[in-house]
Amino acid sequence: VQVLESGGGSVQTGDSLTLSCRASGGTFSKRTLGWFRQAPGKEREFVAAIDWIADATLYADSVKGRFTISSDIARSTYLQMNSLKDEDTAVYYCAAGRAGASISSTVSEYDDWGQGTQVTVSS
């Protein structure tokens, strides 16, 4: 499975940005896709996830109410980020969940990762 993110960039505090993710090549066994982020010197942390089969979503408390994860019929997945804060600055990674796995915030439940896209928020 190949995972490709796009849409990162540099914005100001309070701005919005949308990230896109496309998973291809054998996604028929997959049902979840998650977004994670990693800031310099910090561990990779969960941001949001979607279960295509159950039509369910999951968010980290730090982004709840500001970020929205969605997908289209082709399973391209989007992360709409509103009211961005300086602390949202990180490399954002998209990852496809393990075959058949339910929605999760745990890094180890995702086994196909993209290369990441940088999001920089400055005041």
Side-chain angles (χ1 to χ4, degrees):
V1 176
Q2 293 79 45
V3 178
L4 181 64
E5 311 98 336
S6 63
S10 297
V11 297
Q12 293 189 323
T13 303
D15 283 354
S16 298
L17 198 62
T18 300
L19 304 182
S20 300
C21 178
R22 172 73 172 160
S24 60
T27 60
F28 59 90
S29 63
K30 307 280 188 175
R31 62 180 290 165
T32 60
L33 190 139
W35 284 98
F36 293 78
R37 65 187 182 188
Q38 188 165 17
K42 294 188 177 181
E43 292 188 354
R44 191 166 298 188
E45 65 173 6
F46 171 74
V47 176
I50 190 165
D51 183 325
W52 294 310
I53 305 300
D55 194 23
T57 57
L58 183 67
Y59 295 94
D61 288 342
S62 60
V63 305
K64 204 171 290 184
R66 299 189 298 123
F67 291 11
T68 302
I69 189 170
S70 63
S71 63
D72 60 25
I73 194 169
R75 292 190 172 183
S76 289
T77 302
Y78 309 94
L79 185 67
Q80 173 69 42
M81 305 184 294
N82 298 327
S83 302
L84 283 162
K85 305 176 181 180
D86 292 1
E87 52 263 42
D88 294 318
T89 295
V91 177
Y92 282 71
Y93 296 90
C94 178
R98 297 187 180 280
S102 300
I103 199 168
S104 172
S105 62
T106 305
V107 170
S108 60
E109 288 298 305
Y110 296 83
D111 58 358
D112 292 295
W113 293 79
Q115 293 300 306
T117 185
Q118 177 71 45
V119 173
T120 302
V121 185
S122 57
S123 54

